[in-house]
Amino acid sequence: MVWGWAVASIFILFVGMSMAELGSAAPTSGGLYFWTHSFSSPRCRNLLSWIVGYTNTIGSVSGVASIDWGCAVQVMAAASIGSGQTFVPTNAQIFGVYACILVTHVFICSLATKILARLQTVYIFLNLILCFAVIIALPVATPKEFRNTASFALGNFTNLDGWPNGYAFILSFLAPLWTICGFDCSVHISEEASNAATAVPWAIVTSIGVAGVLGWAINMSLAFCMGTDIDGLLDSPIGQPMAQIFFNSFGQNATLALWSFVVLVQYMMGSSMLLGASRQTFAFARDGALPFSGWLYRMNGYTKTPVNTVIYVAILSLLLGLLGLAGPSATNAIFSMSIISLYVAYAIPIAARFVFKNDFKPGPFNLGRFSMPVATISVLWMLFMSVVFLFPSLPQTDVADMNYTVVVMGGTLILSLAWYYCPKYGGVHWFTGPVKNIGSKEWDKGSSSTSGKQDKDSIAAKRHAEAELGGEKSDC
Ligand SMILES: *[C@@H]1O[C@H](CO)[C@@H](O)[C@H](O)[C@H]1NC(C)=O
């Protein structure tokens, strides 16, 4: 928990630095998808953009699913604490709560986006306060019997899963990887930022730094205050080790109060994620690549938001949530899928910059001669982690415990490629990558020739539709 977080954070920072370089050179809201198209050779740029667009979409959808599922589990943990630990939810009940959360998020992301944007600042503060509550108040409140020695907190290694120790340690990376992810969001809002070529890369790097340090402090605090009965924490009727730790230290009422804020912050994070995912899907539908793109690329005249993509992402998330019915191992698949698919979408443009011939011009944020080594480390890291998380979380697998990541993610990728190469109707015959972004850099000569095929008026109309979205993009 403690050292896994520290090690993974450092590698995530490498990924962030590589992405920051791209963000500094080309701060466009198209981000990953657009970079891939402009750095790759003409022969494979359309296919690679297609893959990045799809993995980014899968990543966003499973991001929504994982956050909202986490929120549902937390709500049930609150119910369990409130009932004096007599209530133990079934998977079906958790799924019911999950579905309710998703439905309310659909309404929020379709209607109340302006309010959501204003609330953003409030819950960033709430989030920080929560962090400090765990870092400072938890050690103060923890009774003596639950306090751990430094040698236990920083030196005890308990392997409960039956994997070899080294691999068990690597599995602890899942927590930091899932928590410190989605930093491409800063890129999507770059067209609304002044001074984007400097602001965007620093936003990426500092947010990773802050999340890494605060998260590490939280994990240390938990490790020092959780007592030594690890099995007891994992098997507690509350169903959430973190809630059980709070319960042991703060007692029932204070835990319920603190836990409500945990739920609230998680809930708000879910709504932001759905908002971001629906806008990303909207942009990808603009280029016609998704099934039902015509229906998806439509603004609702009344709400002035892309209601169709909000519903689409929510339905896909609901379907993914069905995995949760199969039990905790299947739920893990949703979490790891959100990481792996985003990592594929990150790794392709970072690698494409060096693999293909292009006239990449570094922006104000650049690592000079360290660019290439840092990019190599980050791509290898993402490749390695993607392979690791395709393995099941327990060595002896059965239907409930198998890792569904490989099924859902592999299945979606294969279907998307099948559609790309489909004779006559497939993307290979008409997909030309992202619609050219206004004010793109000179080195992006390639994509101007492809977008030349597009009808100028339709581009203008699309731009207009996107401008209407402008107000909400910054929520990300
Ligand atoms: C870790 O802590 C547990 C629980 O106190 C103990 O049984 C185990 O021997 C410890 N392992 C090491 C390597 O210190």
Side-chain angles (χ1 to χ4, degrees):
M1 198 166 99
V2 171
W3 300 115
W5 185 284
V7 170
S9 299
I10 291 167
F11 281 104
I12 296 168
L13 192 59
F14 276 85
V15 177
M17 287 193 293
S18 298
M19 191 187 289
E21 282 199 307
L22 303 186
S24 181
T28 58
S29 62
L32 310 164
Y33 174 60
F34 175 77
W35 294 333
T36 304
H37 199 263
S38 42
F39 298 151
S40 306
S41 82
R43 283 188 53 203
C44 55
R45 58 163 46 128
N46 290 342
L47 175 61
L48 287 177
S49 304
W50 182 277
I51 294 174
V52 168
Y54 263 95
T55 46
N56 204 344
T57 305
I58 305 171
S60 309
V61 170
S62 42
V64 172
S66 59
I67 295 171
D68 281 1
W69 187 268
C71 190
V73 171
Q74 290 171 350
V75 169
M76 288 315 214
S80 173
I81 300 170
S83 73
Q85 306 200 25
T86 52
F87 171 69
V88 180
T90 63
N91 288 331
Q93 287 167 333
I94 297 178
F95 183 80
V97 174
Y98 169 74
C100 293
I101 292 173
L102 260 181
V103 169
T104 58
H105 279 163
V106 167
F107 280 103
I108 292 177
C109 295
S110 305
L111 297 172
T113 50
K114 290 221 164 59
I115 301 170
L116 205 60
R118 281 190 209 119
L119 281 178
Q120 199 89 17
T121 321
V122 176
Y123 69 80
I124 288 172
F125 276 107
L126 270 183
N127 208 342
L128 278 177
I129 290 171
L130 264 181
C131 292
F132 286 110
V134 178
I135 297 168
I136 297 165
L138 185 67
V140 173
T142 301
K144 209 161 180 307
E145 71 261 34
F146 289 111
R147 288 205 188 153
N148 291 328
T149 59
S151 79
F152 178 85
L154 306 178
N156 185 285
F157 186 88
T158 309
N159 178 354
L160 298 170
D161 282 341
W163 286 108
N165 284 346
Y167 187 70
F169 177 70
I170 289 170
L171 285 179
S172 76
F173 295 169
L174 181 61
L177 254 56
W178 183 77
T179 313
I180 318 179
C181 202
F183 35 83
D184 54 313
C185 270
S186 320
V187 181
H188 298 312
I189 59 161
S190 45
E191 280 164 27
E192 291 127 81
S194 55
N195 195 15
T198 316
V200 168
W202 282 108
I204 296 173
V205 171
T206 50
S207 61
I208 295 174
V210 169
V213 171
L214 277 181
W216 198 42
I218 288 174
N219 277 300
M220 290 259 237
S221 172
L222 292 173
F224 273 100
C225 303
M226 69 186 198
T228 52
D229 181 13
I230 296 173
D231 283 313
L233 288 174
L234 293 173
D235 297 336
S236 92
I238 295 181
Q240 269 273 300
M242 177 111 151
Q244 182 67 48
I245 294 171
F246 287 177
F247 187 85
N248 293 344
S249 301
F250 292 122
Q252 179 169 346
N253 290 338
T255 300
L256 269 183
L258 188 63
W259 199 252
S260 334
F261 285 103
V262 173
V263 173
L264 183 68
V265 168
Q266 181 88 357
Y267 182 84
M268 297 303 280
M269 180 161 70
S271 62
S272 308
M273 193 65 210
L274 178 58
L275 196 67
S278 66
R279 283 11 174 204
Q280 188 267 335
T281 313
F282 185 78
F284 195 40
R286 180 185 64 191
D287 303 317
L290 288 170
F292 317 115
S293 282
W295 179 76
L296 288 174
Y297 190 76
R298 208 176 285 168
M299 295 293 263
N300 185 296
Y302 178 68
T303 61
K304 304 266 190 291
T305 51
V307 174
N308 295 0
T309 54
V310 174
I311 295 173
Y312 182 80
V313 173
I315 289 175
L316 292 180
S317 304
L318 195 69
L319 293 178
L320 264 186
L322 287 174
L323 277 179
L325 294 175
S329 302
T331 323
N332 264 351
I334 309 176
F335 285 81
S336 38
M337 192 156 40
S338 70
I339 299 166
I340 298 180
S341 24
L342 284 180
Y343 272 12
V344 173
Y346 293 175
I348 291 177
I350 291 177
R353 170 188 163 191
F354 293 102
V355 170
F356 298 106
K357 238 176 92 130
N358 53 50
D359 40 359
F360 177 86
K361 288 202 183 57
F365 181 99
N366 71 83
L367 305 168
R369 59 204 176 87
F370 294 108
S371 286
M372 173 88 137
V374 168
T376 310
I377 292 173
S378 52
V379 170
L380 288 179
W381 161 257
M382 292 189 279
L383 201 67
F384 175 65
M385 289 324 298
S386 303
V387 174
V388 165
F389 286 124
L390 290 177
F391 280 96
S393 58
L394 295 172
Q396 293 83 27
T397 49
D398 51 30
V399 175
D401 287 335
M402 87 153 259
N403 191 334
Y404 289 92
T405 315
V406 69
V407 182
V408 179
M409 177 145 174
T412 318
L413 267 185
I414 288 170
L415 283 180
S416 79
L417 288 179
W419 192 32
Y420 186 79
Y421 285 114
C422 172
K424 196 155 168 218
Y425 299 107
V428 70
H429 302 293
W430 49 264
F431 180 71
T432 53
V435 173
K436 188 170 167 55
N437 276 53
I438 295 170
S440 63
K441 295 263 153 76
E442 266 194 18
W443 43 260
D444 176 41
K445 285 175 200 126
S447 69
S448 56
S449 64
T450 54
S451 63
K453 287 183 206 154
Q454 304 258 357
D455 172 11
K456 281 223 171 64
D457 286 344
S458 88
I459 296 177
K462 288 169 174 183
R463 280 278 146 214
H464 180 69
E466 248 187 287
E468 302 226 302
L469 275 174
E472 289 115 35
K473 273 201 241 151
S474 52
D475 300 346
C476 196

